[in-house]
Amino acid sequence: MAETANEIQSINTAWQIAIQEILRMVIRDMYHGGGEASFRSHIKRIEEAAVDSIHTDLRLRGTDEWTEVLVKERASNFVTALLTSFTYDRA
């Protein structure tokens, strides 16, 4: 059972890394041309919109209120952590 859990964890981690790198490249390419201030502004706008959407539009069927609040909070934290990890590359 532990081997299966480790395999699932490695798949989840690999998926998260892949998605993060794709997003990093897309966001960098889309917003790099306007300069660092513009880049940071776009990142902040995306973060605020995503977190707002999570809290207002996301509905989790088959869960209780506590679970829904917990999932939304964790998802919001992931959004913030991911987007704040993106840096403006001057190169």
Side-chain angles (χ1 to χ4, degrees):
M1 184 70 168
E3 188 173 314
T4 302
N6 287 339
E7 184 177 351
I8 290 171
Q9 183 176 357
S10 69
I11 290 168
N12 285 339
T13 301
W15 182 86
Q16 290 170 352
I17 290 168
I19 294 301
Q20 181 174 336
E21 288 307 307
I22 290 168
L23 286 173
R24 185 184 318 278
M25 296 300 120
V26 168
I27 288 174
R28 187 196 67 204
D29 289 350
M30 286 177 65
Y31 299 116
H32 192 267
E36 187 169 2
S38 177
F39 177 81
R40 291 185 186 279
S41 174
H42 286 297
I43 295 296
K44 189 65 178 167
R45 183 183 53 76
I46 292 167
E47 176 191 359
E48 289 170 353
V51 168
D52 182 60
S53 178
I54 287 167
H55 284 284
T56 59
D57 299 331
L58 181 63
R59 302 288 179 258
L60 302 173
R61 294 186 180 140
T63 62
D64 59 30
E65 183 180 351
W66 183 86
T67 301
E68 186 168 320
V69 168
L70 180 63
V71 168
K72 287 180 177 185
E73 192 59 36
R74 286 186 177 171
S76 297
N77 290 342
F78 286 139
V79 165
T80 298
L82 177 63
L83 290 174
T84 57
S85 75
F86 296 165
T87 57
Y88 181 80
D89 185 8
R90 289 178 171 82

